[in-house]
Amino acid sequence: MTALVLLSYEENQIRSTSRSTIAAAKKFGEVHALLVGHNLSELSQKAAKLEGVTKVLVADHEAYAHMLAQPVTDLILSIAETYDYILVSANAEGKDILPRVAGLLDVQPITDVVEVVNENTFVRPIYAGSILATVKSSDNKKLLSIRGTAFEPVSDEGGQASIEALSKVAHSEKALAQFVSVEVTKSDRPELESARVIISGGRGMQSGANFAMLEKIADILDAAIGASRAAVDAGYVGNDYQVGQTGKIVAPQLYIAVGISGAIQHLAGMKDSKIIVAINKDPDAPIFKVADYGIIGDLFEILPQLENRLANR
Amino acid sequence: MKVLVPVKRVVDSNIKPLVKSDNSGVETDGLKMSMNPFDETAVEEAVRLKEQNIVSEIVAVSIGEAKCQDTLRTAMAMGAYRSILITSDELLEPLSIAKILQKIVEKEQPNLVLMGKQASDDDTNATGQILAGLLGWSQGTFVSKLELTSDKARVHREIDEGVQILDLTLPAVITTDLRLNEPRFASLPNIMKARKKPIETIALSDMDIKTTTRLEMLSVKEASTSREGIILNSVEELVEKLQNEAKVI
Ligand SMILES: Cc1cc2nc3c(=O)[nH]c(=O)nc-3n(C[C@H](O)[C@H](O)[C@H](O)COP(=O)(O)OP(=O)(O)OC[C@H]3O[C@@H](n4cnc5c(N)ncnc54)[C@H](O)[C@@H]3O)c2cc1C
């Protein structure tokens, strides 16, 4: 059995969620990685070193520069025949592309896989992660999106894969979508999906400016910053900060929820964190039911104290 | 411009359903059902585009048991002009739903399909993308802002590193994020009016589509969430615990 993994990367770094996807793919047999984009020479070298990958297929062309669903789907379809499994990371990119490929292969995709039971049986969350469903696929080919937090990522070294350039190129004249621009949140902090520590703010933060209080603590702990949907909707921070059912799924060693009530849709994104700390003034806030440690009180008093204590420990 | 808006009837997203005692499935009997919140956003967007005279006709479509009529009435009370109900008692997967929608698109010839990015019950996040693939149309997923003109749709997509802006050639399938808008509550007069709006009913068995199930649900279980947490009295205590007990900092 051979599995194909579509790699996800950002600025010449292969995302850790892709390394988790490879870990899942290894359960099925040999793993080939597909690298799609433009100017990929540095990334191809990195991809070849990924543990467990035997071959890296590289499609390097301008038309692939923004990973648009249609050209990438056409590319995957052109090589799909030889693969029994096609896996992507369950991030925005993977979720965009995988089902389009699946539809054209007449396969029901299995999204957000958190456990591989055997070659055709998988576990995936439903109802905002409150329920886990075990599903068995009767499709000949299996198309899966993998939740990064559920699989220990493979190492980014040790592999010795061969690199093969794919000749198939997308025809840009047939493109159905044109890239206009991208607004990227620039930050030196670790990315949410792989951060060891995350401190998240909710509606209780009251403003975007107040997120500076979280940033100071994040600086000390080398933490990523997250947010609830209410905080994003209110414009305190960008959508890429959102944790939850419709945002990012995280499972850091330490998750600190500040002024977040703990709605089931938020819990969906962080409940698998190792240690959860809740800071909230409402003793009945549901976030305390999932927290290992709680402090009841006004976050505007507690955060400066916490910063101080952490800095002077 | 004509817009097709598929809507799904789901357990209200404020309710957490329970697992059946034999773990064979999720108990939905007797629970409050509502329109999938992501689809509500899609209906709202279509209605706003109609109010701006960019869209001329909105057709809502729902697939499932006869009670999906209620969901269609809600869509029509919000502003959809008419509805199509495809009746079936089967449990249908996204792949089958997309195949049914493909047939409806071929019949109705809309310029745009506007639908929720995922359903709040199965959370699959696939139907729109499958449909776009089957139709050979452009797709704009996870859209939080939409600017529509007669021949193109400019979409702002929520992606992992921020926002991506694309121009889609029409016809297109667009899937909505909740941030696109704040759906309205239908007014009482509009709810009354919606009762008289037409629903065309088609039995799935008359449609000549293969809907064999590919994913068999073997079992379900509750995901564990609650922890034996402790409430601490001071920040000093918290930092001490994080350092020496949990050892995470
Ligand atoms: C389909 C669907 C999908 C959704 N997806 C997501 C998702 O992905 N992520 C997500 O987060 N939400 C999501 N939501 C929204 C979710 O239901 C909640 O509305 C949201 O998480 C609430 O955010 P919050 O906790 O910041 O705000 P609130 O619920 O308003 O809570 C604010 C909290 O701050 C506390 N507080 C206020 N002031 C202070 C203070 N001075 N000091 C200490 N504490 C204070 C309050 O006690 C309260 O508990 C979704 C909802 C739906 C319907």
Side-chain angles (χ1 to χ4, degrees), chain A residues 8-10 15 66-70 91-93 95-97 99-100 102-112 115 121-139 175-185 193 196-197 221 228-229 232-233 239-240 242 245-248 253-254 256 264-265 267 270-277 279 288-296 302 305-307 309-310 313, chain B residues 10-19 25-28 38 93-96 99 117-142 144 154 156-171 177-179 181-182 213-243 245-249:
Chain A
S8 180
Y9 55 87
E10 189 178 3
R15 290 191 159 110
H66 305 289
M67 290 290 262
L68 300 188
Q70 180 216 351
N91 58 6
E93 212 170 80
K95 286 175 175 173
D96 186 38
I97 294 165
R100 190 175 177 109
L104 291 167
L105 291 172
D106 195 29
V107 168
Q108 168 61 42
I110 308 163
T111 57
D112 265 318
E115 189 188 329
T121 306
F122 312 94
V123 179
R124 62 179 303 273
I126 55 176
Y127 287 97
S130 63
I131 294 175
L132 292 168
T134 303
V135 293
K136 183 176 170 188
S137 166
S138 59
D139 280 313
L176 299 171
Q178 301 293 333
F179 173 81
V180 178
S181 64
V182 63
E183 292 156 24
V184 178
T185 310
E193 288 96 332
R196 274 195 79 256
V197 179
L221 296 175
S228 71
R229 180 179 154 215
V232 177
D233 284 359
N239 61 275
D240 43 313
Q242 184 172 317
Q245 183 186 17
T246 53
K248 289 179 179 163
Q253 292 290 302
L254 172 61
I256 308 175
I264 171 169
Q265 295 90 357
L267 303 185
M270 44 63 79
K271 67 177 164 50
D272 295 327
S273 306
K274 182 167 175 248
I275 296 290
I276 297 173
V277 171
I279 300 173
F288 287 120
K289 292 206 184 69
V290 302
D292 300 280
Y293 304 114
I295 296 191
I296 299 167
I302 294 166
Q305 290 173 20
L306 182 60
E307 182 198 333
R309 188 74 197 175
L310 287 170
R313 91 192 117 110
Chain B
V10 296
V11 173
D12 189 280
S13 60
N14 293 311
I15 299 172
K16 182 177 169 292
L18 296 176
V19 164
V26 177
E27 187 60 77
T28 57
F38 297 90
E93 301 167 341
L95 181 65
S96 302
K99 287 178 184 176
K117 72 170 182 178
Q118 71 192 70
S120 60
D121 53 0
D122 63 37
D123 281 332
T124 305
N125 193 334
T127 309
Q129 297 90 310
I130 298 175
L131 178 63
L134 295 178
L135 291 166
W137 287 12
S138 57
Q139 74 184 48
T141 49
F142 329 141
S144 59
R154 174 161 292 190
H156 296 232
R157 304 183 53 230
E158 297 205 342
I159 58 168
D160 291 319
E161 54 271 55
V163 177
Q164 183 191 56
I165 302 177
L166 299 181
D167 279 343
L168 308 178
T169 309
L170 295 180
D177 188 87
L178 296 174
R179 225 148 357 246
N181 59 47
E182 185 74 44
T213 302
R214 312 294 181 81
L215 272 192
E216 185 194 349
M217 174 104 89
L218 297 181
S219 67
V220 296
K221 64 174 186 206
E222 303 274 342
S224 58
T225 40
S226 52
R227 303 182 183 199
E228 293 284 329
I230 47 170
I231 299 294
L232 305 172
N233 293 315
S234 72
V235 162
E236 286 72 26
E237 242 184 295
L238 174 65
V239 172
E240 197 273 320
K241 293 270 186 208
L242 292 178
Q243 253 177 329
E245 193 174 88
K247 299 190 170 46
V248 288
I249 59 169

Side-chain angles (χ1 to χ4, degrees), chain B residues 69-85:
Chain B
Q69 273 199 32
D70 302 348
T71 318
L72 291 170
R73 294 276 172 221
T74 308
M76 291 190 292
M78 288 173 75
Y81 173 71
R82 64 185 172 88
S83 292
I84 302 170
L85 171 62

